[in-house]
Amino acid sequence: MSESQQINVSKSSVSKIAILALSIIFAVGLFVVGFDQGHIFSLVYGEQAFTDLYIHELTHDMRHAAGFPCH
């Protein structure tokens, strides 16, 4: 009597490029929400961006909810 066994191996992998892209998006998002004090818009608006703090004001409540002190 011959008995055969079949082994199915499924390999579900995420590509390294996808992991890298998501890591970059996470790092930029963390910087924008947690640490930006006008740096992003200073590329366009110059020194005025450090006074206006547009992104800081837009993400102010999210900063406090995430535990980042901002003032």
Side-chain angles (χ1 to χ4, degrees):
M1 177 188 252
S2 172
E3 186 175 316
S4 65
Q5 295 181 351
Q6 183 178 0
I7 299 174
N8 292 331
V9 177
S10 65
K11 185 177 179 184
S12 164
S13 65
V14 178
S15 71
K16 294 184 190 312
I17 294 172
I19 292 172
L20 178 65
L22 289 174
S23 298
I24 290 170
I25 290 169
F26 175 77
V28 169
L30 182 66
F31 173 77
V32 167
V33 172
F35 301 105
D36 182 65
Q37 295 289 331
H39 299 93
I40 299 292
F41 282 145
S42 71
L43 300 172
V44 178
Y45 294 117
E47 291 295 320
Q48 185 64 32
F50 294 108
T51 305
D52 294 339
L53 298 175
Y54 292 122
I55 293 178
H56 174 89
E57 294 301 326
L58 290 172
T59 62
H60 187 260
D61 292 337
M62 192 182 336
R63 284 178 170 218
H64 288 296
F68 288 102
C70 61
H71 50 103

